[in-house]
Amino acid sequence: MEFKPLPFPAITICNMNTIRMSKIHEIKSETLQQILNGTYEQPSPNYSTHSSKQQSKTTSITTSGRTASLASKTTASTATQITPYFDSTSVVQSPHDTSKSHNFTTTTIEADHKDYGFDSDFWDYWDYGVKDTNYDYSWDLWQDYYSSPLNHDATQYEYFLEEYLQIDRKEKKKVGHQLKNMLLDCQFNGRKCDPSIKDVVTYEYGNCFTIQSSKFIAGSTGPRSGMVLTINLENHEAIEDLTEGYGMRMVVHEPKSFPLPLEEGLTVSGGYETSIGLKMTRIERKGQPYGTCVDPKEYFKQNGIRFSTQACIQQCWENLAYARCDCQVGNVHTEIGLFNDQTEVKIETPKGCFTESEKRCSIDVRRDLLSDINRYCDCPQPCLENTYTTTFSGRIWPHDTKLNELTDQACETYELYNTTGSDHCDLRHWHSLSYNFLKVNIYFEDLNYEVISEEPLYDATQLISDVGGSLGLCLGASLLCICEVFEALVMIVVVMIRKIRGHSTVSKVNLERNSLDEFRSSKA
């Protein structure tokens, strides 16, 4: 555990209503206008708006919601011929080796690859090696499930999404919710926010906005030391045929990292003050030669964005789907380029996977990716990563006095109000007005954070210790034994020297005695 002031995470907010009702008449696609107005004739399930030659019997879509003030005429939709920003034979990947240059480089694959064979080990990976003998693990059943007809709401949303993807990014931003109308107030540590705002256009929620700043440092805990957002959901602009409720999608993520609202987001409801307490966990991974990870500092220097494994996998899936199926399943690759302020980013209107053959192909691609992701994507974990766990609490908000204040504040953000007066602010006449606003308090519950670090299982110190232990066990050659052996050798040498010296002295005495005896004998 460590304790210190913590950099505050980036916060991304999205209105869960994709298009504003008042902007329907400004959409260039008449088919999309019809879908949003509830006047579109729904074709049979096998029909796709990209297959203009296909004819089928149609039934009318009934609508329970409101219709826009300007209805459009019924016309047929035609597909737009596009050129994707990436080559059809490339799969976006990230590097393995931390010592090399880190970038989303590309590797070539067979564009006409047709080997969609089922990997028998797929379900082993899926179930972490545990098989249920009562379960049918054949891929055909799963494929049949995903190929089965969708229910009415899902089918209607698919028609909307198919047409929504065909309008360009500039038009998506224009018809979506705007930050100046949504964000009524932003405070951090009791002071007005001065954040850097990044906009992201997503398939699912339209306009999203990332609030982040290097000045946001949490020096203490509790709501007063965190971020407070007051949001106008603009429920009067919601298209009820496409959404079942009102709310905001929010992502808490590392600063400078790309947000993924659908995969990583939280849903916050209107009519409440929601408190979100954060606890941070830092994960430190070893790079080469112990493992594979991406150095986030080097990657950020080269790409201007923090590395994200999930975003890397999403890019890989998009490029692999395009290489095989000639259609796009997402726009993360383009949005990442805009998010990190790249000057040269080709913004192309995507062609979604909506025909039966494209759907079937994209399902096969997803299956192959899940079965062996390392084969198709090079997306290791970052060497340093901060994750946030959240706890929720809340209360009903606001009361009537605050509601009137918020309504006045929200109406002032609309140009129509400033030119014609408050009587023409549609928000004032909206039913269930209290559910139109929400307040979010985001703060650290504790500045103590847990550090999870990888350590080498076997290093040089451990090797020396094991070698010494093995020698001591097998030969008994400990340091004390070596000293004793040395002492014994010295003693042996000393004894031998003494013996040699003692033998020489005795021989000399005997020689002298013999000489004396001989002398005495000669005198006698």
Side-chain angles (χ1 to χ4, degrees):
M1 299 292 290
E2 295 189 16
F3 177 91
K4 65 178 181 180
L6 299 177
F8 203 77
I11 306 297
T12 297
I13 57 175
C14 315
N15 196 310
M16 299 186 72
N17 178 66
T18 309
I19 296 177
R20 290 180 288 171
M21 176 165 287
S22 62
K23 297 296 180 180
I24 291 179
H25 68 280
E26 298 183 15
I27 298 174
K28 297 177 182 179
S29 170
E30 294 186 2
T31 302
L32 183 55
Q33 287 190 29
Q34 295 165 16
I35 293 174
L36 297 175
N37 283 325
T39 60
Y40 179 67
E41 295 293 323
Q42 180 175 343
S44 64
N46 292 329
Y47 181 85
S48 171
T49 57
H50 295 289
S51 305
S52 57
K53 296 182 180 179
Q54 185 176 357
Q55 301 294 331
S56 61
K57 183 179 180 180
T58 61
T59 57
S60 176
I61 295 182
T62 58
T63 136
S64 59
R66 306 174 307 283
T67 57
S69 56
L70 296 178
S72 60
K73 296 181 181 180
T74 304
T75 59
S77 173
T78 58
T80 303
Q81 183 67 29
I82 62 165
T83 303
Y85 109 101
F86 47 81
D87 187 81
S88 61
T89 60
S90 67
V91 176
V92 174
Q93 297 187 347
S94 67
H96 266 313
D97 193 350
T98 57
S99 63
K100 297 180 181 179
S101 173
H102 298 305
N103 200 347
F104 283 121
T105 56
T106 59
T107 57
T108 302
I109 65 171
E110 294 291 335
D112 59 346
H113 177 64
K114 300 298 182 183
D115 182 17
Y116 299 154
F118 172 67
D119 186 352
S120 60
D121 294 331
F122 172 73
W123 289 109
D124 290 342
Y125 296 132
W126 186 266
D127 290 329
Y128 303 97
V130 180
K131 280 194 174 184
D132 184 355
T133 56
N134 298 322
Y135 192 85
D136 190 342
Y137 288 88
S138 64
W139 167 251
D140 292 337
L141 291 181
W142 199 26
Q143 192 173 35
D144 290 343
Y145 173 77
Y146 278 93
S147 301
S148 60
L150 298 172
N151 60 42
H152 178 271
D153 292 339
T155 302
Q156 185 174 352
Y157 180 77
E158 189 172 87
Y159 287 136
F160 158 75
L161 188 61
E162 182 174 355
E163 290 300 321
Y164 177 71
L165 296 184
Q166 302 311 305
I167 65 177
D168 58 37
R169 186 179 190 272
K170 185 177 181 180
E171 189 174 359
K172 289 187 179 79
K173 289 184 63 177
K174 181 181 178 182
V175 301
H177 292 267
Q178 306 299 311
L179 185 66
K180 65 178 182 179
N181 303 128
M182 283 182 54
L183 186 59
L184 298 181
D185 187 33
C186 174
Q187 297 183 20
F188 183 80
N189 201 17
R191 297 170 179 84
K192 196 76 173 178
C193 287
D194 184 20
S196 169
I197 304 295
K198 296 281 188 178
D199 62 280
V200 179
V201 179
T202 65
Y203 279 11
E204 300 81 13
Y205 307 113
N207 292 341
C208 295
F209 306 95
T210 298
I211 304 171
Q212 59 185 355
S213 175
S214 58
K215 300 177 182 178
F216 293 165
I217 303 295
S220 58
T221 60
R224 294 185 178 180
S225 300
M227 180 177 290
V228 181
L229 302 177
T230 304
I231 303 295
N232 170 22
L233 292 175
E234 298 187 289
N235 292 340
H236 64 289
E237 293 277 20
I239 301 174
E240 294 182 349
D241 289 327
L242 297 178
T243 179
E244 297 180 351
Y246 314 113
M248 180 182 73
R249 194 73 170 169
M250 188 180 72
V251 188
V252 180
H253 55 104
E254 289 188 273
K256 303 295 184 181
S257 65
F258 186 78
L260 297 171
L262 181 64
E263 294 83 0
E264 302 173 349
L266 310 168
T267 299
V268 184
S269 300
Y272 289 91
E273 178 182 2
T274 303
S275 296
I276 302 178
L278 304 177
K279 288 186 177 180
M280 193 183 84
T281 300
R282 171 164 293 185
I283 302 175
E284 301 174 356
R285 301 180 178 91
K286 291 288 185 182
Q288 298 292 344
Y290 304 105
T292 302
C293 65
V294 175
D295 186 342
K297 294 182 180 179
E298 291 297 325
Y299 185 86
F300 183 82
K301 289 180 182 179
Q302 298 172 15
N303 300 279
I305 193 170
R306 186 181 290 271
F307 178 79
S308 167
T309 302
Q310 184 63 36
C312 175
I313 294 174
Q314 181 69 22
Q315 283 187 292
C316 178
W317 180 35
E318 291 177 9
N319 287 2
L320 182 61
Y322 183 80
R324 288 191 183 180
C325 312
D326 196 29
C327 62
Q328 294 176 230
V329 293
N331 65 335
V332 170
H333 59 280
T334 301
E335 291 299 320
I336 283 183
L338 297 171
F339 194 80
N340 64 0
D341 299 325
Q342 289 183 6
T343 56
E344 297 182 2
V345 179
K346 289 185 67 176
I347 304 176
E348 301 288 352
T349 303
K351 174 181 177 294
C353 301
F354 293 107
T355 66
E356 289 303 314
S357 59
E358 289 171 347
K359 291 178 185 177
R360 196 176 303 111
C361 177
S362 64
I363 291 173
D364 290 338
V365 170
R366 189 64 173 175
R367 175 207 64 192
D368 290 348
L369 197 64
L370 291 174
S371 64
D372 190 2
I373 193 170
N374 292 327
R375 175 184 175 187
Y376 300 100
C377 305
D378 191 4
C379 296
Q381 298 288 336
C383 297
L384 179 61
E385 181 181 15
N386 295 326
T387 62
Y388 304 94
T389 56
T390 58
T391 57
F392 285 81
S393 60
R395 63 173 179 172
I396 297 175
W397 181 91
H399 53 59
D400 291 341
T401 303
K402 183 65 176 179
L403 180 61
N404 293 332
E405 178 186 334
L406 291 171
T407 304
D408 292 339
Q409 185 179 355
C411 285
E412 291 175 0
T413 65
Y414 298 106
E415 296 178 1
L416 185 63
Y417 172 87
N418 295 326
T419 57
T420 61
S422 61
D423 290 340
H424 295 276
C425 181
D426 294 337
L427 188 59
R428 290 188 181 278
H429 308 289
W430 177 244
H431 61 84
S432 303
L433 188 58
S434 62
Y435 293 105
N436 187 77
F437 302 100
L438 64 86
K439 184 177 181 179
V440 186
N441 304 314
I442 312 163
Y443 56 92
F444 281 107
E445 292 182 338
D446 199 336
L447 295 184
N448 286 329
Y449 62 94
E450 183 180 8
V451 179
I452 301 175
S453 60
E454 292 183 345
E455 297 295 337
L457 184 62
Y458 200 80
D459 55 9
T461 303
Q462 186 67 32
L463 175 63
I464 295 173
S465 176
D466 289 347
V467 170
S470 299
L471 290 176
L473 178 64
C474 300
L475 305 177
S478 64
L479 181 61
L480 181 60
C481 292
I482 293 175
C483 293
E484 291 177 348
V485 170
F486 179 75
E487 182 183 8
L489 292 175
V490 171
M491 293 297 296
I492 292 173
V493 171
V494 170
V495 170
M496 292 181 64
I497 292 175
R498 286 179 178 177
K499 286 186 177 181
I500 293 173
R501 286 181 178 180
H503 180 72
S504 300
T505 303
V506 172
S507 299
K508 184 176 180 181
V509 172
N510 291 335
L511 180 60
E512 290 177 353
R513 285 180 178 179
N514 292 334
S515 298
L516 183 59
D517 291 340
E518 291 178 357
F519 176 75
R520 288 176 178 177
S521 299
S522 62
K523 290 292 183 179

